[in-house]
Amino acid sequence: MSTMSVAIKTPMKTRACPCGCVSGRHGAVKANAAPPMSRPTAASQFSPVAWQPRSTRALSIRAAAATETAAKTPETAKATAPVPAKKAQPPASYEAKYLQSRMETIKGHFPTAYTADDFLLRLEMALCAFGFNGDNSIGIVNLCRDEATNMLRQKIETIYPLVFNINGLGGGLTCGVTGMKAGLSHSPVFPANASGRARYIFFSAPHIAIDSKGNVGSMSRPGQQATNCACGAMLGALTQFNAEGLESYIKPEGVHDATDPEYSIFKQRLAARIQKEKKNLKDIDLAELTKICERQISSDLDFLISQAVDVKEADYAVITGVQV
């Protein structure tokens, strides 16, 4: 399940797919093409009434109606047709109740959450209106390195097959301008984009686990008997912040541990964000830290885009949020 927000930055006017669908993949179909005629049902194919000439059929209908009216008496006219009993709805299955319960638990921490399939369908529809589709766009995807995030990435690839990964621990952005430009240079231009403009779709999200009992951070992994944690990098940072204090991780930009560059940069940026937002560390749990991380990653992504994307030559969309 995912909770995401979408920002589309393009000078193009909103438009729908020419055929009226949402996929944007049927450009060859004429917009004013008439819908295909429906085939007659089996009953109409073999019913003598269905194939009578129009005048004869109309006379038959009027005669039948007149006969029915004449046959009615005042007593029968007052009688009303019996109302068919409503069919009882089958009880919800165990699976349906479980999924509803899971969604309620997740929304207790992330009120705007959608299932991944629901969110991606809405996203595809929204981006199609701005000219983005799987043939003319490249996805620049930043998720945590955890294999638990593969599901979301794979679902993204079913809609936008061209994906360039800039993943980092905890979803932290450490690819830099060079790494970002490397992905942008792979974007399709011709013949998918007749205008010659590239189209980029940026996905960025930290992640968090919530197990079937509602425990935040807890998850089961294949082949392991004990429960594990997600995001481990996030929990590790929170543990160290509480043990050593934020001040130990507030350092000038560019100063980091050379033996552990990615994780040290991740913790330093988180600590700086907590300090900037004037949060009390005692009030921050794993779910709250994940939300803070999402805001920091979104800020980092905006900066990289400003340094790497030429808006004169490309349109782009930004999708950020939290993967649950």
Side-chain angles (χ1 to χ4, degrees):
M1 298 184 183
S2 303
T3 171
M4 296 277 189
S5 61
V6 182
I8 302 171
K9 300 185 179 181
T10 167
M12 299 175 61
K13 294 182 179 180
T14 302
R15 60 179 179 82
C17 185
C19 67
C21 75
V22 298
S23 66
R25 300 170 186 169
H26 309 102
V29 181
K30 294 182 179 179
N32 59 354
M37 295 181 63
S38 59
R39 296 181 60 187
T41 62
S44 65
Q45 288 178 355
F46 298 102
S47 171
V49 177
W51 301 107
Q52 286 181 6
R54 181 179 300 177
S55 58
T56 305
R57 186 163 63 252
L59 288 173
S60 300
I61 293 171
R62 288 200 295 271
T67 302
E68 182 180 357
T69 303
K72 286 185 177 180
T73 64
E75 290 75 18
T76 58
K78 294 179 181 178
T80 57
V83 178
K86 293 184 179 180
K87 293 183 178 180
Q89 294 294 330
S93 65
Y94 172 80
E95 291 80 3
K97 291 180 179 179
Y98 171 74
L99 291 175
Q100 290 172 358
S101 174
R102 288 278 288 148
M103 180 57 80
E104 290 173 1
T105 301
I106 290 171
K107 286 195 171 185
H109 300 281
F110 301 94
T112 60
Y114 289 92
T115 62
D117 290 329
D118 187 7
F119 172 78
L120 289 173
L121 175 60
R122 292 166 185 262
L123 176 66
E124 183 182 12
M125 293 169 63
L127 293 186
C128 178
F130 287 86
F132 294 81
N133 60 54
D135 296 325
N136 65 15
S137 307
I138 187 169
I140 309 297
V141 179
N142 172 51
L143 305 173
C144 181
R145 294 185 183 277
D146 193 330
E147 75 282 353
T149 66
N150 289 346
M151 179 274 294
L152 179 58
R153 178 182 55 79
Q154 290 165 359
K155 287 181 179 293
I156 292 171
E157 289 177 347
T158 62
I159 304 173
Y160 306 105
L162 292 177
V163 166
F164 187 87
N165 289 327
I166 53 174
N167 294 352
L169 277 176
L173 272 169
T174 54
C175 66
V177 176
T178 301
M180 181 72 77
K181 286 186 175 181
L184 303 184
S185 68
H186 300 172
S187 174
V189 179
F190 295 105
N193 290 326
S195 65
R197 296 179 65 82
R199 287 188 173 93
Y200 315 134
I201 306 175
F202 295 96
F203 294 87
S204 188
H207 75 129
I208 189 171
I210 301 178
D211 68 15
S212 58
K213 296 180 180 179
N215 298 315
V216 176
S218 175
M219 69 173 294
S220 298
R221 295 183 184 272
Q224 295 189 359
Q225 293 182 346
T227 57
N228 206 285
C229 177
C231 171
M234 202 84 64
L235 180 61
L238 182 59
T239 302
Q240 292 177 33
F241 292 162
N242 284 316
E244 303 172 26
L246 285 178
E247 293 74 15
S248 302
Y249 296 90
I250 303 297
K251 297 182 179 180
E253 190 71 25
V255 177
H256 57 267
D257 184 352
T259 63
D260 198 7
E262 191 171 74
Y263 194 40
S264 62
I265 292 173
F266 175 74
K267 290 184 290 186
Q268 289 168 22
R269 289 179 180 174
L270 269 184
R273 186 76 186 194
I274 294 171
Q275 189 179 68
K276 179 181 178 180
E277 295 185 358
K278 299 180 179 179
K279 298 284 188 179
N280 188 336
L281 191 58
K282 295 180 180 179
D283 299 330
I284 298 176
D285 56 13
L286 186 59
E288 181 61 26
L289 184 62
T290 303
K291 296 174 185 177
I292 294 172
C293 181
E294 187 275 328
R295 293 193 289 271
Q296 179 59 41
I297 291 172
S298 296
S299 176
D300 294 339
L301 179 60
D302 285 341
F303 175 76
L304 285 178
I305 289 174
S306 71
Q307 300 298 306
V309 176
D310 185 351
V311 294
K312 296 179 181 178
E313 298 182 358
D315 302 320
Y316 67 93
V318 178
I319 297 93
T320 62
V322 174
Q323 180 186 2
V324 182

